[in-house]
Amino acid sequence: MLDPELVQQFGDPICWGASRHGGPKPPLPQLSSVIVEDGTVTGDASEIVLSKQDLREVAAFAVVCAESVLEIFEADQPDDSRPRGAISAAWEFARGGERGKSLRDTASAALKAAKSADTAAGREAAWAAMSAAGAAYLHPLAKATQVKHILGAGAYAARAAELVAGDDRSVGAETLEQTVHCATPTVVDVLKRFPVAPSGGGRVGELIRMLDADLRSLTLAE
């Protein structure tokens, strides 16, 4: 059974390309989605179009963010390879692989690893890895919550960094500044297709909104 926290983070598994029993994905009731030959995903209701290359670049961005704090988790739990496995699976997708069971399983495993961390910083770093594996499941829905798929790994990584520094919020801000420079024009373009990040979510939600605002302020040439 899938962890309910993972469902809350990434949506029901039927939105991940497979049913709970591994069968074909049934149509979403609220959106008529069409996948054409080049892998483009479009929704009639949302009018958001996402190509496979869009998703791969979003995933690559998320992986870079998560990798930057992986050592924080591994210092906490040196014998636990689950977050590293999630990052590896996300890299595989970003470099041309397909979405599938490996991504879902490694995201779930990274979530469980977060629960086993002894420190808050280690937990946030594992959540960053979970978010990297989940970034490929950005849905073509015009909802603010979808922004978490794009920016979640970056926000969790920033939170992990500031917690390691004694909850120094300036470290989180500096980490986000570095993260902005990792975003490709495609990532910025994809982000701007969605509504701005939602309210709530504690400090991580605040970091998501900060990163969201910083990236939206960029021009594609940057």
Side-chain angles (χ1 to χ4, degrees):
M1 181 177 180
L2 192 69
D3 193 294
E5 289 186 33
L6 195 68
V7 174
Q8 183 178 19
Q9 181 77 15
F10 299 121
D12 192 277
I14 65 171
C15 300
W16 296 6
S19 72
R20 294 181 187 276
H21 304 290
K25 172 185 173 182
L28 291 171
Q30 72 271 39
L31 180 66
S32 293
S33 293
V34 178
I35 304 179
V36 297
E37 289 185 4
D38 69 351
T40 297
V41 182
T42 180
D44 294 340
S46 69
E47 298 182 352
I48 289 178
V49 176
L50 298 171
S51 70
K52 273 192 176 181
Q53 186 57 32
D54 289 337
L55 295 175
R56 293 192 201 289
E57 291 208 33
V58 166
F61 171 66
V63 172
V64 169
C65 295
E67 273 191 329
S68 70
V69 294
L70 179 59
E71 63 182 16
I72 294 175
F73 176 82
E74 292 183 337
D76 182 307
Q77 298 292 320
D79 297 323
D80 192 336
S81 64
R82 289 175 291 183
R84 183 173 290 274
I87 287 173
S88 295
W91 262 134
E92 183 177 347
F93 169 75
R95 291 169 173 161
E98 298 299 326
R99 296 186 300 180
K101 188 174 185 296
S102 175
L103 272 174
R104 296 192 298 273
D105 287 351
T106 58
S108 180
L111 175 64
K112 292 175 182 176
K115 295 178 178 179
S116 71
D118 291 330
T119 64
R123 180 191 64 221
E124 301 290 336
W127 278 342
M130 175 195 69
S131 295
Y137 296 101
L138 174 65
H139 309 318
L141 303 173
K143 293 185 177 180
T145 52
Q146 289 302 309
V147 170
K148 295 177 183 178
H149 285 285
I150 306 171
L151 306 182
Y156 283 124
R159 182 59 178 152
E162 65 186 19
L163 284 169
V164 164
D167 203 8
D168 185 342
R169 301 298 174 95
S170 68
V171 171
E174 290 171 5
T175 302
L176 290 187
E177 184 177 349
Q178 296 169 5
T179 299
V180 168
H181 294 298
C182 296
T184 65
T186 295
V187 171
V188 175
D189 178 52
V190 170
L191 177 65
K192 289 180 177 180
R193 298 176 203 173
F194 291 86
V196 297
S199 60
R203 175 59 177 165
V204 170
E206 182 181 1
L207 290 165
I208 286 176
R209 289 187 292 278
M210 291 167 61
L211 183 55
D212 184 51
D214 287 346
L215 289 173
R216 289 179 192 273
S217 70
L218 298 176
T219 65
L220 293 184
E222 294 176 277

